Amino acid sequence: TDLSSIGEPVTEDLAGTKNGVNADFTISNSPVIASLIVVHQNAYVTRVSGSPASGEYSISGTTITMGLAPNSGDSLWAQYIKA
């Protein structure tokens, strides 16, 4: 099956400072929102449209705001289809 028509798949670490305080991170490309998966410490994080709580995130453009600020050393990555 040729999936090239739906866009380029991307897997990347979120860019930003993981220090237990910063909650704003970026990805390199604008995603197809429905395809975006965010993983923090090997757990899927739920997308919300308002202010995120623990275990949730929101997105605006390429900026992802986490409900719980990741600590240094935490794994934080995303997978999505590039819009």
Side-chain angles (χ1 to χ4, degrees):
T1 302
D2 181 14
L3 300 176
S4 62
S5 64
I6 64 170
E8 180 183 341
V10 177
T11 300
E12 65 178 303
D13 291 331
L14 274 63
T17 303
K18 293 184 284 184
N19 59 7
V21 178
N22 179 50
D24 293 327
F25 296 86
T26 58
I27 52 178
S28 300
N29 308 282
S30 293
V32 172
I33 297 298
S35 74
L36 180 60
I37 298 169
V38 174
V39 179
H40 178 215
Q41 290 298 92
N42 299 320
Y44 292 105
V45 184
T46 304
R47 184 179 73 247
V48 296
S49 58
S51 297
S54 180
E56 299 176 336
Y57 74 91
S58 62
I59 183 165
S60 178
T62 59
T63 299
I64 293 174
T65 301
M66 301 294 294
L68 177 65
N71 290 308
S72 175
D74 283 4
S75 64
L76 181 63
W77 56 276
Q79 188 171 50
Y80 57 93
I81 302 295
K82 189 169 22 170

XYZ file of all heavy atoms in Angstrom:
598
model
N 0.842 -1.184 0.000
C 0.000 0.000 0.000
C 0.886 1.246 0.000
O 1.784 1.367 0.815
C -0.900 0.022 1.245
O -1.680 -1.167 1.260
C -1.801 1.233 1.243
N 0.603 2.160 -0.900
C 1.353 3.415 -0.986
C 0.704 4.461 -0.089
O -0.426 4.883 -0.325
C 1.382 3.904 -2.431
C 2.172 5.194 -2.596
O 2.908 5.563 -1.656
O 2.053 5.814 -3.662
N 1.410 4.843 0.959
C 0.888 5.842 1.898
C 1.468 7.228 1.667
O 1.201 8.153 2.426
C 1.177 5.398 3.332
C 0.574 4.065 3.759
C 1.019 3.714 5.167
C -0.928 4.096 3.656
N 2.270 7.401 0.611
C 2.942 8.685 0.383
C 1.962 9.833 0.162
O 2.300 10.990 0.407
C 3.897 8.581 -0.798
O 3.191 8.273 -1.980
N 0.745 9.543 -0.261
C -0.214 10.611 -0.529
C -0.760 11.256 0.745
O -1.329 12.331 0.695
C -1.378 10.068 -1.355
O -2.081 9.092 -0.612
N -0.583 10.613 1.897
C -1.111 11.196 3.136
C -0.121 12.120 3.828
O -0.459 12.787 4.778
C -1.603 10.122 4.134
C -0.451 9.240 4.593
C -2.714 9.315 3.533
C -0.808 8.323 5.736
N 1.107 12.158 3.385
C 2.102 13.035 3.979
C 3.264 12.257 4.552
O 3.234 11.033 4.659
N 4.294 12.992 4.909
C 5.523 12.382 5.409
C 5.438 12.102 6.905
O 5.151 13.002 7.695
C 6.690 13.335 5.136
C 8.020 12.824 5.608
C 9.136 13.834 5.373
O 8.974 14.746 4.549
O 10.166 13.702 6.046
N 5.694 10.857 7.336
C 5.682 10.571 8.768
C 6.957 11.091 9.438
O 8.038 11.038 8.857
C 5.622 9.045 8.822
C 6.209 8.589 7.529
C 5.918 9.676 6.531
N 6.812 11.623 10.639
C 7.937 12.181 11.391
C 7.898 11.644 12.814
O 6.838 11.588 13.428
C 7.858 13.733 11.435
C 8.990 14.314 12.270
C 7.857 14.322 10.037
N 9.056 11.239 13.334
C 9.219 10.896 14.743
C 10.384 11.728 15.250
O 11.460 11.714 14.646
C 9.521 9.399 14.932
O 8.445 8.633 14.398
C 9.689 9.055 16.403
N 10.167 12.476 16.322
C 11.233 13.337 16.827
C 11.058 13.622 18.320
O 9.958 13.559 18.854
C 11.274 14.657 16.060
C 10.043 15.517 16.254
C 10.115 16.845 15.519
O 11.059 17.609 15.748
O 9.207 17.099 14.697
N 12.183 13.941 18.970
C 12.140 14.429 20.341
C 11.602 15.854 20.312
O 11.906 16.617 19.394
C 13.539 14.431 20.976
C 14.074 13.028 21.214
O 13.260 12.107 21.420
O 15.307 12.864 21.204
N 10.821 16.219 21.309
C 10.335 17.592 21.401
C 11.490 18.495 21.826
O 12.293 18.124 22.694
C 9.188 17.708 22.404
C 7.789 17.411 21.851
C 7.663 15.992 21.376
C 6.739 17.729 22.864
N 11.585 19.663 21.204
C 12.664 20.606 21.505
C 12.226 21.547 22.615
O 11.116 22.080 22.582
C 13.021 21.406 20.258
N 13.095 21.733 23.603
C 12.817 22.627 24.709
C 13.558 22.156 25.948
O 14.149 21.078 25.959
N 13.527 22.978 26.973
C 14.243 22.675 28.210
C 13.386 21.826 29.134
O 12.303 22.242 29.528
C 14.637 23.985 28.932
O 15.431 24.770 28.035
C 15.414 23.694 30.196
N 13.900 20.644 29.458
C 13.218 19.762 30.420
C 13.858 20.000 31.788
O 14.973 19.557 32.035
C 13.347 18.304 29.991
C 12.607 17.989 28.703
C 12.658 16.525 28.345
C 14.014 16.172 27.775
N 14.117 14.792 27.308
N 13.138 20.743 32.643
C 13.704 21.100 33.953
C 12.664 21.048 35.073
O 12.902 21.553 36.163
C 14.334 22.488 33.894
C 13.354 23.575 33.506
O 12.154 23.340 33.390
N 13.867 24.774 33.293
N 11.506 20.479 34.821
C 10.455 20.413 35.824
C 9.638 21.686 35.941
O 8.689 21.740 36.712
N 10.000 22.726 35.182
C 9.296 24.015 35.216
C 8.744 24.366 33.838
O 7.580 24.732 33.706
C 10.235 25.146 35.716
C 9.519 26.487 35.690
C 10.756 24.837 37.110
N 9.577 24.251 32.805
C 9.167 24.593 31.437
C 8.164 23.569 30.910
O 8.393 22.369 30.984
C 10.393 24.634 30.519
C 10.018 24.947 29.095
O 9.294 25.898 28.826
N 10.501 24.131 28.168
N 7.065 24.054 30.379
C 6.034 23.173 29.837
C 5.844 23.356 28.331
O 5.046 22.658 27.726
C 4.707 23.415 30.550
N 6.572 24.290 27.704
C 6.405 24.583 26.282
C 7.534 23.969 25.462
O 8.715 24.184 25.760
C 6.368 26.087 26.037
C 5.142 26.740 26.634
O 4.082 26.096 26.662
O 5.248 27.904 27.083
N 7.156 23.221 24.435
C 8.111 22.523 23.581
C 7.685 22.703 22.134
O 6.547 23.073 21.863
C 8.155 21.032 23.955
C 8.663 20.829 25.350
C 7.798 20.887 26.428
C 10.004 20.632 25.592
C 8.259 20.746 27.731
C 10.482 20.484 26.888
C 9.604 20.539 27.952
N 8.601 22.443 21.224
C 8.270 22.594 19.815
C 8.614 21.338 19.035
O 9.467 20.545 19.445
C 9.007 23.796 19.175
O 10.415 23.614 19.321
C 8.588 25.106 19.811
N 7.915 21.201 17.902
C 8.245 20.185 16.922
C 8.659 20.907 15.647
O 8.390 22.093 15.491
C 7.060 19.218 16.687
C 5.759 19.965 16.361
C 6.863 18.315 17.904
C 4.569 19.056 16.071
N 9.323 20.197 14.770
C 9.937 20.827 13.594
C 8.963 21.239 12.505
O 9.277 22.111 11.702
C 10.962 19.875 12.972
O 11.960 19.561 13.902
N 7.792 20.591 12.457
C 6.861 20.809 11.354
C 5.443 20.952 11.877
O 5.120 20.454 12.950
C 6.892 19.611 10.402
C 8.273 19.259 9.951
O 8.822 19.908 9.076
N 8.860 18.232 10.544
N 4.604 21.591 11.079
C 3.174 21.613 11.408
C 2.616 20.223 11.147
O 2.801 19.675 10.056
C 2.437 22.638 10.550
O 2.856 23.937 10.883
N 1.937 19.633 12.135
C 1.430 18.274 11.957
C -0.013 18.247 11.453
O -0.753 19.214 11.594
C 1.475 17.719 13.378
C 1.144 18.913 14.225
C 1.798 20.080 13.521
N -0.396 17.128 10.876
C -1.810 16.832 10.702
C -2.269 16.520 12.129
O -1.814 15.536 12.727
C -2.027 15.629 9.763
C -3.490 15.222 9.749
C -1.506 15.936 8.372
N -3.088 17.387 12.711
C -3.421 17.302 14.136
C -3.946 15.926 14.537
O -3.555 15.380 15.569
C -4.425 18.405 14.538
C -3.807 19.790 14.340
C -4.885 18.234 15.975
C -2.578 20.078 15.192
N -4.797 15.346 13.716
C -5.373 14.039 14.059
C -4.322 12.932 14.120
O -4.549 11.898 14.742
C -6.464 13.674 13.068
N -3.159 13.156 13.510
C -2.110 12.133 13.495
C -1.131 12.272 14.654
O -0.324 11.365 14.888
C -1.327 12.208 12.179
O -0.461 13.343 12.162
N -1.168 13.372 15.377
C -0.156 13.677 16.392
C -0.282 12.786 17.618
O -1.343 12.686 18.238
C -0.257 15.149 16.805
C 0.735 15.636 17.857
C 2.180 15.476 17.378
C 0.447 17.095 18.193
N 0.823 12.138 17.955
C 0.929 11.332 19.175
C 2.090 11.897 19.971
O 3.192 12.047 19.449
C 1.204 9.856 18.837
C 0.050 9.263 18.033
C 1.468 9.055 20.101
C 0.376 7.905 17.444
N 1.851 12.222 21.248
C 2.905 12.697 22.140
C 3.091 11.651 23.229
O 2.117 11.166 23.815
C 2.556 14.072 22.755
C 3.596 14.491 23.783
C 2.449 15.128 21.658
N 4.366 11.310 23.492
C 4.691 10.292 24.494
C 5.652 10.892 25.509
O 6.697 11.431 25.147
C 5.305 9.037 23.831
C 5.669 8.003 24.879
C 4.362 8.459 22.794
N 5.280 10.804 26.797
C 6.112 11.277 27.904
C 6.340 10.108 28.843
O 5.389 9.540 29.368
C 5.419 12.437 28.635
C 6.178 12.943 29.807
N 5.553 13.402 30.933
C 7.507 13.067 30.050
C 6.450 13.790 31.816
N 7.651 13.589 31.296
N 7.593 9.742 29.038
C 7.955 8.632 29.925
C 7.215 7.352 29.553
O 6.657 6.670 30.407
C 7.705 9.011 31.385
C 8.660 10.059 31.927
C 10.102 9.606 31.930
O 10.836 9.836 30.968
N 10.534 8.955 32.985
N 7.196 7.051 28.254
C 6.583 5.835 27.709
C 5.073 5.750 27.907
O 4.493 4.666 27.869
C 7.264 4.584 28.271
C 8.730 4.534 27.905
O 9.101 4.881 26.792
N 9.565 4.138 28.841
N 4.412 6.886 28.124
C 2.951 6.922 28.252
C 2.392 7.925 27.245
O 2.927 9.029 27.089
C 2.544 7.329 29.663
N 1.337 7.523 26.559
C 0.675 8.443 25.639
C 0.054 9.584 26.424
O -0.506 9.392 27.497
C -0.421 7.731 24.844
C 0.118 6.720 23.874
C 0.026 5.360 24.141
C 0.730 7.122 22.696
C 0.530 4.424 23.257
C 1.240 6.193 21.800
C 1.131 4.844 22.095
O 1.632 3.924 21.215
N 0.149 10.791 25.860
C -0.402 11.990 26.476
C -1.628 12.407 25.664
O -1.600 12.367 24.433
C 0.658 13.118 26.508
C 0.147 14.333 27.235
C 1.960 12.621 27.142
N -2.698 12.807 26.323
C -3.960 13.146 25.680
C -3.983 14.602 25.238
O -3.644 15.495 26.015
C -5.132 12.900 26.658
O -5.076 11.542 27.093
C -6.464 13.172 26.004
N -4.428 14.851 23.994
C -4.549 16.222 23.483
C -5.862 16.834 23.969
O -6.908 16.189 23.956
C -4.511 16.227 21.953
C -4.525 17.646 21.369
C -4.475 17.664 19.856
N -5.735 17.258 19.269
C -5.926 16.149 18.572
N -4.949 15.299 18.359
N -7.109 15.860 18.070
N -5.799 18.076 24.430
C -6.992 18.815 24.842
C -6.995 20.162 24.132
O -5.965 20.645 23.682
C -7.060 19.022 26.380
C -7.195 17.690 27.090
C -5.859 19.791 26.898
N -8.165 20.788 24.044
C -8.258 22.070 23.349
C -8.041 23.252 24.292
O -7.697 24.337 23.851
C -9.607 22.210 22.646
O -10.656 22.088 23.576
N -8.234 23.057 25.586
C -8.046 24.143 26.551
C -6.720 24.019 27.265
O -5.742 23.531 26.714
N -6.689 24.440 28.520
C -5.478 24.355 29.327
C -5.246 22.908 29.751
O -6.117 22.288 30.351
C -5.602 25.241 30.575
O -5.720 26.589 30.196
N -4.074 22.362 29.451
C -3.827 20.966 29.769
C -3.535 20.729 31.252
O -2.931 21.562 31.914
C -2.599 20.626 28.927
C -1.896 21.927 28.744
C -2.974 22.974 28.715
N -3.992 19.588 31.743
C -3.683 19.132 33.101
C -2.615 18.044 32.993
O -2.152 17.726 31.893
C -4.950 18.603 33.763
N -2.232 17.453 34.098
C -1.262 16.365 34.099
C -1.741 15.253 33.165
O -2.908 14.875 33.185
C -1.098 15.828 35.512
O -0.173 14.780 35.531
N -0.841 14.757 32.310
C -1.205 13.709 31.368
C -1.876 14.218 30.114
O -2.383 13.433 29.317
N -1.863 15.538 29.920
C -2.485 16.152 28.754
C -1.525 17.149 28.104
O -0.558 17.586 28.720
C -3.765 16.888 29.142
C -4.828 16.008 29.749
C -6.049 16.779 30.214
O -5.948 17.993 30.501
O -7.111 16.158 30.302
N -1.841 17.511 26.857
C -1.099 18.565 26.165
C -2.054 19.321 25.262
O -3.134 18.843 24.918
C 0.061 17.985 25.340
C -0.362 17.277 24.074
C -0.448 17.962 22.870
C -0.682 15.924 24.070
C -0.843 17.324 21.699
C -1.073 15.278 22.915
C -1.156 15.986 21.729
O -1.554 15.345 20.590
N -1.642 20.530 24.886
C -2.356 21.283 23.862
C -1.328 21.673 22.804
O -0.121 21.662 23.058
C -3.042 22.524 24.450
O -2.089 23.403 25.001
N -1.817 22.006 21.614
C -0.909 22.386 20.529
C -1.430 23.624 19.829
O -2.642 23.791 19.644
C -0.693 21.234 19.529
C 0.319 21.649 18.452
C -2.013 20.756 18.954
C 0.872 20.520 17.633
N -0.504 24.502 19.470
C -0.801 25.676 18.672
C 0.341 25.819 17.674
O 1.487 26.075 18.078
C -0.913 26.921 19.553
O -1.145 28.062 18.763
N 0.058 25.602 16.397
C 1.119 25.639 15.385
C 2.079 24.484 15.600
O 1.693 23.325 15.512
N 3.325 24.808 15.931
C 4.322 23.773 16.225
C 4.702 23.764 17.704
O 5.654 23.086 18.097
C 5.595 23.965 15.366
O 6.138 25.260 15.633
C 5.293 23.825 13.883
N 3.969 24.518 18.521
C 4.254 24.575 19.960
C 3.316 23.654 20.725
O 2.097 23.760 20.616
C 4.112 26.011 20.503
O 5.048 26.858 19.820
C 4.396 26.066 22.004
N 3.908 22.771 21.498
C 3.166 21.843 22.345
C 3.346 22.285 23.788
O 4.464 22.473 24.252
C 3.667 20.402 22.149
C 3.329 19.931 20.728
C 3.095 19.464 23.204
C 3.892 18.595 20.361
N 2.222 22.475 24.489
C 2.252 22.839 25.905
C 1.814 21.636 26.715
O 0.705 21.135 26.553
C 1.330 24.038 26.191
O 1.775 25.144 25.396
C 1.364 24.429 27.662
N 2.703 21.190 27.570
C 2.436 20.026 28.410
C 1.718 20.462 29.683
O 1.992 21.528 30.229
C 3.753 19.334 28.790
C 4.584 18.863 27.615
S 3.813 17.547 26.671
C 3.833 16.226 27.884
N 0.819 19.618 30.173
C 0.141 19.897 31.436
C 1.048 19.672 32.629
O 0.873 20.273 33.683
N 2.040 18.809 32.478
C 3.022 18.525 33.515
C 4.393 18.764 32.905
O 4.756 18.108 31.928
C 2.893 17.076 33.996
C 3.899 16.598 35.031
C 3.710 17.370 36.341
C 3.727 15.104 35.286
N 5.147 19.695 33.468
C 6.470 20.011 32.932
C 7.414 18.826 33.136
O 7.576 18.351 34.260
C 7.029 21.256 33.623
N 8.017 18.327 32.061
C 8.929 17.192 32.177
C 10.211 17.549 32.937
O 10.689 18.681 32.878
C 9.266 16.845 30.727
C 8.217 17.503 29.911
C 7.794 18.701 30.678
N 10.742 16.572 33.634
C 12.005 16.744 34.353
C 13.178 16.417 33.447
O 13.030 15.711 32.441
C 12.046 15.819 35.576
C 11.080 16.252 36.642
O 11.076 17.400 37.062
N 10.235 15.329 37.079
N 14.346 16.915 33.805
C 15.568 16.601 33.087
C 15.720 15.084 33.030
O 15.522 14.396 34.023
C 16.762 17.227 33.807
O 17.958 16.843 33.189
N 16.029 14.571 31.872
C 16.206 13.136 31.716
C 14.948 12.392 31.314
O 15.009 11.220 30.948
N 13.773 13.044 31.405
C 12.525 12.410 30.973
C 12.536 12.210 29.459
O 13.072 13.053 28.728
C 11.301 13.277 31.316
C 10.911 13.222 32.772
O 11.620 12.574 33.572
O 9.889 13.846 33.111
N 11.935 11.136 28.986
C 11.759 10.959 27.548
C 10.498 11.710 27.131
O 9.489 11.683 27.830
C 11.660 9.477 27.182
O 10.518 8.896 27.749
N 10.579 12.426 26.026
C 9.460 13.218 25.516
C 9.610 13.307 24.004
O 10.548 13.921 23.506
C 9.471 14.614 26.141
C 8.344 15.554 25.735
C 6.989 15.000 26.172
C 8.567 16.935 26.347
N 8.690 12.646 23.286
C 8.796 12.630 21.834
C 7.417 12.641 21.200
O 6.415 12.461 21.884
C 9.628 11.437 21.357
C 9.142 10.094 21.806
C 9.412 9.476 22.997
C 8.305 9.199 21.086
N 8.792 8.251 23.048
C 8.110 8.048 21.897
C 7.700 9.246 19.836
C 7.334 6.964 21.471
C 6.929 8.170 19.419
C 6.760 7.043 20.237
N 7.427 12.883 19.903
C 6.167 12.952 19.153
C 6.316 12.194 17.844
O 7.399 12.065 17.291
C 5.809 14.404 18.868
N 5.171 11.721 17.372
C 5.099 11.094 16.054
C 3.874 11.679 15.361
O 2.819 11.831 15.997
C 4.962 9.588 16.211
C 5.063 8.834 14.906
C 5.130 7.345 15.154
O 4.324 6.793 15.878
N 6.103 6.706 14.550
N 4.020 12.035 14.084
C 2.925 12.673 13.370
C 3.166 12.628 11.872
O 4.252 12.287 11.419
C 2.766 14.132 13.824
C 4.017 14.978 13.649
C 4.225 15.718 12.496
C 4.980 15.044 14.645
C 5.362 16.503 12.334
C 6.116 15.813 14.486
C 6.312 16.539 13.334
O 7.442 17.290 13.169
N 2.138 12.975 11.133
C 2.232 13.153 9.683
C 2.408 14.645 9.436
O 1.655 15.466 9.956
C 0.975 12.651 8.958
C 0.718 11.162 9.256
C 1.051 12.916 7.466
C 1.777 10.227 8.746
N 3.422 14.986 8.649
C 3.686 16.388 8.333
C 2.586 16.925 7.435
O 2.237 16.309 6.426
C 5.058 16.508 7.645
C 5.501 17.919 7.492
C 6.934 18.159 7.060
C 7.698 17.138 6.363
N 8.982 17.662 5.816
N 2.009 18.072 7.823
C 0.924 18.690 7.058
C 1.428 19.250 5.754
O 2.576 19.582 5.611
C 0.263 19.795 7.870
